[in-house]
């Protein structure tokens, strides 16, 4: 989805957030395929950002179609027992067509990111930074301190962080990411409590509610989720309430995953009520259904169906979006993605009938 499509969505739903390009690598389908929790492969228990040594070994041994022999050398991100680093770089070429407008083709450096984790007290206390260094100037995404209990059943985070709420997708333009306003382009400043016990995962955060900016009122944003994870399936419930002076906004999400042979399924549905939009115009519904077919090692085919009702008080204003994406990981730490997305909406609005073709090179470590 290009900027003008996002603008059309925001215009129709009167949402006040401007969302930009995709961000850090987060692929929950990999967790579903392996039956693992997100925190198994990422430093952040809710996923995304710096990988753990396990995640780096997974990226070298299990993800690629072919593993290039590096002898005894194996990247784990650990400079020493106290310091770990990592990064992501995405470069993309796009071709887009919209009825009534000239086609557009472009190359773009989507992002270059550096991750740093300093473990001050091994397994217990750490300081983590996620910094986007390009394009443009430096932009901090996450920066927090995290304390783990001795049993590693609970933790406390404080700083700038991604909010816990539903699936954390790589595609930040998905409807379930944009209408809630909770995604990896909108970190907030606050505290988060997490609890992990056997198959259960839970997180609860209290933050400013200003997407990481300075506080402007006494209201706060409350975000939380509860997830039950089994090797073949998982089910979660997420909730968010943003108490803002201009009008509160609430969101409720039901999400989950299922593994059926080589196919990993993801699904999420959201109900949003944004009272800052007059005449009950902020009552929205967004859904996503995704299938990821692991055709062979290093070869994944992703099919996604999305639905959006930007105002449930208005009839026949729904939007849909379909995606077909092929992901090839030929060798460790390198992924090629090519795909097609088609957005469809009300007939009289050309900006809601967009075809997008893209090719992406993703390097990560």
């Amino acid at each position: 989805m290009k900027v003008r499509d996002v603008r059309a969505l925001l215009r129709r739903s009167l949402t006040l957030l401007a969302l930009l390009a995709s961000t850090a690598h987060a692929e929950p389908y990999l967790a579903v395929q392996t039956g693992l929790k997100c925190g198994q492969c990422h430093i952040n228990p809710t996923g995304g950002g710096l990988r753990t040594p396990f995640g780096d070994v997974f990226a070298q041994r299990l993800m690629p179609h072919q593993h290039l022999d590096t002898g005894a050398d194996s990247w784990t991100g650990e400079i020493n027992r106290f310091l770990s680093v990592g990064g992501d770089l995405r470069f993309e070429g796009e071709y887009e067509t919209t009825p009534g407008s000239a086609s557009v083709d472009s190359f773009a450096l989507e992002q270059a990111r550096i991750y740093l984790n300093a473990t001050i007290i091994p397994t217990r206390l750490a300081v983590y930074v996620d910094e986007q260094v390009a394009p443009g100037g430096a932009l901090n995404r996450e920066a927090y301190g995290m304390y783990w209990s001795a049993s590693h059943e609970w933790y406390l985070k404080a700083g700038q962080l991604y909010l816990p709420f539903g699936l954390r997708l790589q595609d930040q333009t998905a409807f379930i990411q944009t209408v809630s306003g909770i995604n990896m382009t909108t970190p907030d400043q606050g505290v988060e409590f997490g609890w992990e016990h056997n198959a259960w995962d839970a997180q609860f955060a209290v933050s400013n509610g200003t997407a990481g900016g300075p506080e402007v009122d006494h209201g706060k944003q409350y975000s939380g989720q509860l997830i039950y994870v089994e090797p073949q399936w998982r089910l979660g419930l997420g909730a968010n309430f943003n108490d803002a002076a201009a009008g509160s906004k609430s969101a409720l999400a039901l999400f989950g995953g299922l593994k059926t042979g080589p196919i990993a399924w993801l699904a999420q549905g959201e109900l949003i009520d944004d009272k800052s939009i007059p005449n009950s115009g902020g009552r929205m519904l967004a859904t996503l259904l995704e299938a990821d077919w692991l055709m062979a090692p290093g070869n994944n085919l992703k099919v996604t169906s999305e639905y959006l009702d930007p105002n449930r008080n208005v009839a026949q204003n729904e939007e849909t979006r379909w995606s077909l994406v092929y992901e090839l990981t030929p060798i460790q730490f390198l992924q090629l993605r090519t795909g097609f997305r088609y957005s469809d909406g009300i007939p009289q609005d050309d900006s809601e009938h967009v075809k997008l073709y893209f090719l992406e090179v993703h390097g990560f470590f």
Side-chain angles (χ1 to χ4, degrees):
M1 182 182 290
K2 302 296 282 189
V3 173
R4 61 170 173 271
D5 304 313
V6 178
R7 287 174 177 167
L9 169 61
L10 299 182
R11 183 178 64 251
R12 291 174 55 201
S13 62
L14 300 181
T15 309
L16 302 179
L17 297 172
L19 301 174
L20 302 176
S22 62
T23 166
H25 184 63
E27 290 285 12
Y29 80 85
L30 292 173
V32 174
Q33 283 180 345
T34 58
L36 301 173
K37 295 182 179 181
C38 296
Q40 185 72 37
C41 288
H42 292 275
I43 294 292
N44 192 336
T46 55
L50 180 65
R51 296 155 189 86
T52 62
F54 178 93
D56 280 319
V57 172
F58 179 87
Q60 292 170 87
R61 300 292 178 177
L62 299 179
M63 278 188 67
H65 180 71
Q66 177 186 5
H67 174 76
L68 295 186
D69 186 17
T70 57
D73 295 327
S74 183
W75 174 261
T76 64
E78 294 182 314
I79 304 303
N80 54 49
R81 64 184 301 224
F82 297 105
L83 191 64
S84 298
V85 298
D88 277 278
L89 186 144
R90 292 181 183 270
F91 180 79
E92 186 176 72
E94 291 185 349
Y95 177 76
E96 182 188 83
T97 64
T98 305
S101 303
S103 60
V104 178
D105 56 85
S106 63
F107 293 110
L109 175 63
E110 291 185 22
Q111 64 160 341
R113 303 170 80 97
I114 296 295
Y115 313 121
L116 175 67
N117 189 63
T119 305
I120 312 303
I121 302 176
T123 76
R124 300 295 300 277
L125 182 64
V127 175
Y128 175 73
V129 176
D130 171 357
E131 192 79 10
Q132 180 172 313
V133 296
L139 177 63
N140 179 250
R141 290 303 190 184
E142 284 196 296
Y144 58 77
M146 182 161 63
Y147 172 80
W148 280 95
S149 67
S151 64
H152 258 238
E153 283 200 345
W154 62 266
Y155 67 84
L156 185 64
K157 241 191 237 185
Q160 178 155 296
L161 43 90
Y162 298 132
L163 300 178
F165 182 80
L167 297 174
R168 189 160 284 174
L169 301 176
Q170 183 272 332
D171 178 19
Q172 302 301 290
T173 62
F175 290 149
I176 62 169
Q177 304 283 68
T178 59
V179 296
S180 67
I182 306 169
N183 52 61
M184 296 174 76
T185 68
T186 57
D188 205 357
Q189 296 179 10
V191 295
E192 176 183 308
F193 175 81
W195 173 72
E196 299 184 357
H197 181 72
N198 298 328
W200 291 98
D201 253 15
Q203 293 88 27
F204 177 72
V206 181
S207 58
N208 284 338
T210 54
E215 183 60 279
V216 296
D217 55 35
H218 294 293
K220 291 292 180 284
Q221 183 166 205
Y222 306 90
S223 309
Q225 60 183 12
L226 177 66
I227 311 170
Y228 185 81
V229 179
E230 288 286 348
Q232 295 297 121
W233 61 275
R234 62 197 62 207
L235 185 64
L237 180 67
N240 174 269
F241 180 73
N242 192 357
D243 183 15
S248 64
K249 181 177 180 179
S250 61
L252 186 66
L254 181 66
F255 58 97
L258 175 67
K259 181 181 179 181
T260 57
I263 300 178
W265 300 86
L266 298 174
Q268 180 162 318
E270 289 180 4
L271 288 173
I272 296 97
D273 187 5
D274 188 349
K275 297 189 181 301
S276 69
I277 300 174
N279 303 318
S280 300
R283 300 175 67 244
M284 305 174 232
L285 168 66
T287 66
L288 174 138
L289 178 63
E290 177 178 304
D292 287 88
W293 175 25
L294 184 62
M295 300 181 293
N299 292 263
N300 183 67
L301 185 65
K302 183 191 302 287
V303 181
T304 307
S305 172
E306 300 176 62
Y307 172 85
L308 172 66
D309 186 344
N311 186 344
R312 288 185 286 148
N313 294 329
V314 176
Q316 299 180 336
N317 66 335
E318 298 85 359
E319 299 178 41
T320 58
R321 197 172 77 139
W322 299 84
S323 302
L324 179 65
V325 181
Y326 170 62
E327 298 173 331
L328 171 65
T329 308
I331 59 174
Q332 60 265 41
F333 301 126
L334 176 65
Q335 186 180 70
L336 307 176
R337 303 175 73 246
T338 184
F340 168 74
R341 288 196 174 103
Y342 176 60
S343 302
D344 189 25
I346 57 177
Q348 60 269 32
D349 190 342
D350 286 343
S351 69
E352 293 182 3
H353 301 269
V354 178
K355 296 178 180 179
L356 174 66
Y357 306 83
F358 65 89
L359 175 64
E360 180 185 83
V361 179
H362 176 212
F364 56 97
F365 65 95

